[in-house]
RNA sequence: GUGGACGUAGCUCAAUGGCAGAGUACUGGUCUGUGGAACCAGGUGUUGCGGGUUCGAAUCCCGUCGUCCACCCCA
């Protein structure tokens, strides 16, 4: 009988142990920073009732939903395609949760999209949201948290672009675009950095907008550095459009909090041409782009004051962000941003095995090292020492403890550092502490 | 959903209508004290799959599946 051909569904992948080393490192930093900012973890099921997932974000995102079936099933089930909708359900379902409710969630989501570089049909989302506060302090904290996360991960050249939906709506009004054409306007100016001012002018002209108003818009799309004077000028220009003024005031307040939160001014910028696709955003929106390799956005979020209202008589203002871990991992691999000392395995020590009579000595030593908290693997057959060392090398294990007849006869073991090729003979009893010292030294 | 490129050994790739190749990995054997080994022996394979053209197809044509890229959208 021929074996079943081992393969994966389209757009899905395995994460092998070697890749898990970096992934777990990144995830642990994320969880740490989320916790530092006062967010608490939440788990919701991968499967939701279909009615929970449908009816948001227009029919576009609904086409991407995976349905779940089982024989005799009476419920219409589907896999979640983001973490924001489940969050909204939770807030609606447990009205007693103290507000503001701040939760983070790191979990896979599924979208039946056509796969591409950095885009998969199953991927992890890392969301942190604050529900139940309309304060710009919440938005400022989200941006400060993004900044902290990326710095902790070792990113240097990144910018969080900030804009506001109310301001964008005002710009639509300002340009004289009919209400039903505003989405087209927004989608087009979002492409400003890609197709340039001429491209935008051309596309909007085709869409039937008058060229003078397009030019007035483009004039306004110049970078805004967030300085009070700059925002004031913009406010003056748009003073007759209440929505725009409201948006500018929000941005101005939000940006005003960032210095005290320790955010480097080079790492954020108000960008009137940044839109974001989802239509449920109602206030400030943010998106972080890495500038060195043009990989696109690695975080995205904003304020969504209307979403929870779908699941409750009461509506709650909310804001938050998604951290795109899959893209972050791609960028970190491309830029070789591995922390020092990080190898291809989490195993720290290989314990050698010699002849049958010494086997129990290896087992005892192994157990001692494990009790001391070291991650240890035992070599299973009494092969020549060279073979055992080569195995450790191939697997990327940094240290080998050689417990051979010569060493044990003196009550000692040899510790070999495979990266420096240095080998020391230590008392058997102090093997664990000596190894811990060496490992700490190697990682610093 | 639209458009493009590609599909040969587990992996990276050669072979331009005329006999299936290299490197690496893999399996077994030799080697009882130290660097990704050497030596020997060996699968390395329906050239993604199906059809067509041809005396003859990995090669040309059509279809299909898969991978990648661009668009749409997004993380």
């Amino acid at each position: 009988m021929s074996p079943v051909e081992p393969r994966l569904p389209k757009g899905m992948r395995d994460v092998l142990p070697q890749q898990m080393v970096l992934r777990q490192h990144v995830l642990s930093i994320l969880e740490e920073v989320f916790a530092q900012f006062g967010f608490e973890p939440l788990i919701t099921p991968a499967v939701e009732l279909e009615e929970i997932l449908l009816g948001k974000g227009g029919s576009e995102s609904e086409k991407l939903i995976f349905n779940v079936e089982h024989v005799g099933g009476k419920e219409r089930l589907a896999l979640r395609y983001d973490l924001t909708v489940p969050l909204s359900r939770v807030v609606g379902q447990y009205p007693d949760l103290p507000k503001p409710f701040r939760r983070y969630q790191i979990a896979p989501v599924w979208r039946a999209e056509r796969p591409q570089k950095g885009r998969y049909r199953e991927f992890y989302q890392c969301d942190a949201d604050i529900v139940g506060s309309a304060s710009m302090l919440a938005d400022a904290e989200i941006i400060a948290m993004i900044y902290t996360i990326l710095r902790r991960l070792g990113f240097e050249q990144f910018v969080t672009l900030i804009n506001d939906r109310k301001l964008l709506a005002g710009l639509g009004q300002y340009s004289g675009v009919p209400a039903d054409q505003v989405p087209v306007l927004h989608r087009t100016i979002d492409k400003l950095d890609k197709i340039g001012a001429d491209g935008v002018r051309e596309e909007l002209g085709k869409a039937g907008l008058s060229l003078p108003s397009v030019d007035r818009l483009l004039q306004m799309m110049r970078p805004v550095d967030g300085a009070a004077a700059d925002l004031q000028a913009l406010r003056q220009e748009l003073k007759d459009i209440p929505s725009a003024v409201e948006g500018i005031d929000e941005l101005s307040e939000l940006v005003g909090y960032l210095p005290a939160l320790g955010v480097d001014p080079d790492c954020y910028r108000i960008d009137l041409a940044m839109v974001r696709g989802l239509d449920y955003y109602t206030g400030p929106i943010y998106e972080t782009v890495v500038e060195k390799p043009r990989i696109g956005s690695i975080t995205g979020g904003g304020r969504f004051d209307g979403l929870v209202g779908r699941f409750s008589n009461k509506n709650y203002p909310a804001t938050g962000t998604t951290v795109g871990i899959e893209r972050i991992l791609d960028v970190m691999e491309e830029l070789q941003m591995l922390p020092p000392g990080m190898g291809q395995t989490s195993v720290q020590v290989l314990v050698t095995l010699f002849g049958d009579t010494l086997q129990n000595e290896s087992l005892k030593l192994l157990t001692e090292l494990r009790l001391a908290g070291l991650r240890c693997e035992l070599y299973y057959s009494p092969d020549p020492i060279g073979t055992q060392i080569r195995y450790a090398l191939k697997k990327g294990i940094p240290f080998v403890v050689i417990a051979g007849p010569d060493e044990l006869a003196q009550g000692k073991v040899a510790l070999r550092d495979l990266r420096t090729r240095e080998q020391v003979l230590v008392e058997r009893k102090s093997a664990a502490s000596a190894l811990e010292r060496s490992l700490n030294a190697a990682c610093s």
Side-chain angles (χ1 to χ4, degrees):
Chain A
M1 197 171 94
S2 65
V4 176
E5 188 191 348
R7 59 198 190 94
L8 286 167
K10 183 197 281 283
M12 313 230 170
R13 63 231 155 97
D14 299 311
V15 184
L16 298 178
Q18 202 173 327
Q19 308 166 281
M20 282 301 291
V21 179
L22 177 62
R23 178 173 287 256
Q24 283 187 325
H25 164 76
V26 170
L27 284 176
S28 70
I29 286 180
L30 279 167
E31 291 198 5
E32 217 177 291
V33 177
F34 286 154
Q36 275 175 358
F37 277 75
F39 290 81
E40 296 180 288
L42 172 74
I43 290 180
T44 64
V47 176
E48 294 274 355
L49 292 168
E50 198 176 53
E51 69 201 61
I52 299 290
L53 301 182
L54 295 182
K56 184 208 81 171
S59 54
E60 273 304 313
S61 50
E62 289 172 13
K63 275 191 277 186
L64 307 178
I65 293 178
F66 278 99
N67 290 311
V68 177
E69 287 173 37
H70 64 98
V71 178
K74 297 207 169 83
E75 295 173 312
R76 304 276 304 169
L77 303 175
L79 292 173
R80 64 175 169 226
Y81 65 92
D82 74 3
L83 301 176
T84 312
V85 170
L87 167 67
S88 302
R89 174 185 60 71
V90 164
V91 172
Q93 193 169 343
Y94 307 96
D96 290 344
L97 289 170
K99 308 293 182 313
F101 177 59
R102 20 174 87 224
R103 79 89 180 82
Y104 74 88
Q105 184 166 11
I106 300 175
V109 303
W110 294 266
R111 292 181 193 174
E113 250 188 321
R114 191 185 282 219
Q116 214 181 102
K117 173 89 172 172
R119 300 176 65 173
Y120 310 96
R121 289 186 153 191
E122 177 185 61
F123 61 96
Y124 274 74
Q125 274 197 336
C126 308
D127 278 28
D129 296 279
I130 302 169
V131 181
S133 171
S135 170
M136 285 300 116
L137 286 169
D139 297 88
E141 276 218 290
I142 296 287
I143 289 168
M145 186 183 65
I146 291 168
Y147 170 78
T148 307
I149 287 170
L150 294 177
R151 271 288 147 86
R152 282 285 304 276
L153 288 173
F155 283 94
E156 282 163 15
Q157 288 195 21
F158 62 88
V159 177
T160 299
L161 305 174
I162 307 172
N163 198 2
D164 194 289
R165 270 297 160 86
K166 291 173 184 148
L167 173 53
L168 278 169
L171 288 176
Q173 225 177 307
Y174 176 76
S175 65
V177 178
D180 61 327
Q181 291 256 10
V182 168
V184 181
L185 173 73
H186 286 171
R187 228 173 300 132
T188 309
I189 62 178
D190 195 29
K191 292 192 238 173
L192 182 61
D193 61 331
K194 231 182 238 178
I195 62 181
D198 293 338
V200 171
R201 191 177 289 121
E202 190 185 327
E203 269 195 39
L204 288 179
K206 270 187 203 153
L209 273 68
S210 80
L211 284 181
S213 62
V214 170
D215 284 334
R216 275 200 306 173
L217 268 181
L218 286 170
Q219 182 59 30
M220 217 169 286
M221 293 298 156
R222 69 188 182 274
V224 179
D225 64 9
D230 226 355
L231 279 173
Q232 275 311 312
L234 197 61
R235 196 175 194 279
Q236 190 56 34
E237 240 171 307
L238 295 168
K239 64 178 186 317
D240 296 329
I241 301 168
S243 168
V245 170
E246 208 178 322
I248 290 167
D249 287 346
E250 284 186 353
L251 286 178
S252 158
E253 183 184 352
L254 162 57
V255 169
Y257 295 134
L258 296 179
L261 287 166
V263 184
D264 183 338
D266 289 339
C267 292
Y268 65 88
R269 188 197 319 142
I270 291 176
D271 181 349
L272 270 48
M274 189 274 290
V275 174
R276 295 197 57 69
L278 296 174
D279 56 8
Y280 58 72
Y281 291 118
T282 55
I285 49 178
Y286 5 97
E287 179 170 304
T288 308
V289 294
V290 175
E291 302 198 313
K292 228 191 285 176
R294 277 190 79 80
I295 189 105
S297 62
I298 54 173
T299 82
R303 181 162 278 282
F304 47 102
D305 284 348
L307 196 53
V308 180
R310 272 194 61 218
F311 303 102
S312 170
N313 288 327
K314 234 182 132 185
N315 193 24
Y316 293 99
T319 188
T321 190
T322 295
V323 180
I325 184 181
E326 313 292 356
R327 282 188 186 170
I328 285 176
L329 288 168
D330 284 350
V331 175
M332 288 182 74
E333 265 165 34
E334 192 175 332
L335 296 183
Q336 300 278 306
M337 289 170 56
L338 304 189
M342 175 171 289
Q344 50 174 330
T345 179
S346 59
V347 179
Q348 297 169 307
V349 181
L350 179 74
V351 176
T352 58
L353 188 75
F354 282 76
D356 290 340
T357 56
L358 294 177
Q359 190 170 297
N360 277 336
E361 291 306 315
S362 288
L363 293 181
K364 283 181 197 165
L365 183 60
L366 179 73
T367 305
E368 283 168 30
L369 298 180
R370 284 176 177 162
L371 283 172
L374 293 162
R375 300 190 287 268
C376 303
E377 177 178 347
L378 174 70
Y379 196 88
Y380 281 148
S381 56
D383 288 338
I385 184 79
T387 307
Q388 302 197 37
I389 285 175
R390 276 191 295 277
Y391 170 77
L393 285 164
K394 181 173 179 186
K395 224 175 138 173
I397 302 172
F399 282 90
V400 177
V401 176
I402 301 169
D406 300 347
E407 290 82 1
L408 291 173
Q410 313 170 49
K412 297 186 176 182
V413 291
L415 309 182
R416 185 166 184 84
D417 184 335
L418 295 186
R419 290 168 303 192
T420 63
R421 294 173 179 248
E422 282 165 11
Q423 185 168 325
V424 292
L425 203 58
V426 302
E427 291 297 327
R428 216 206 103 129
K429 285 198 176 76
S430 58
S433 53
L435 272 169
E436 277 178 282
R437 269 198 305 280
S438 304
L439 280 161
N440 286 336
C443 289
S444 60

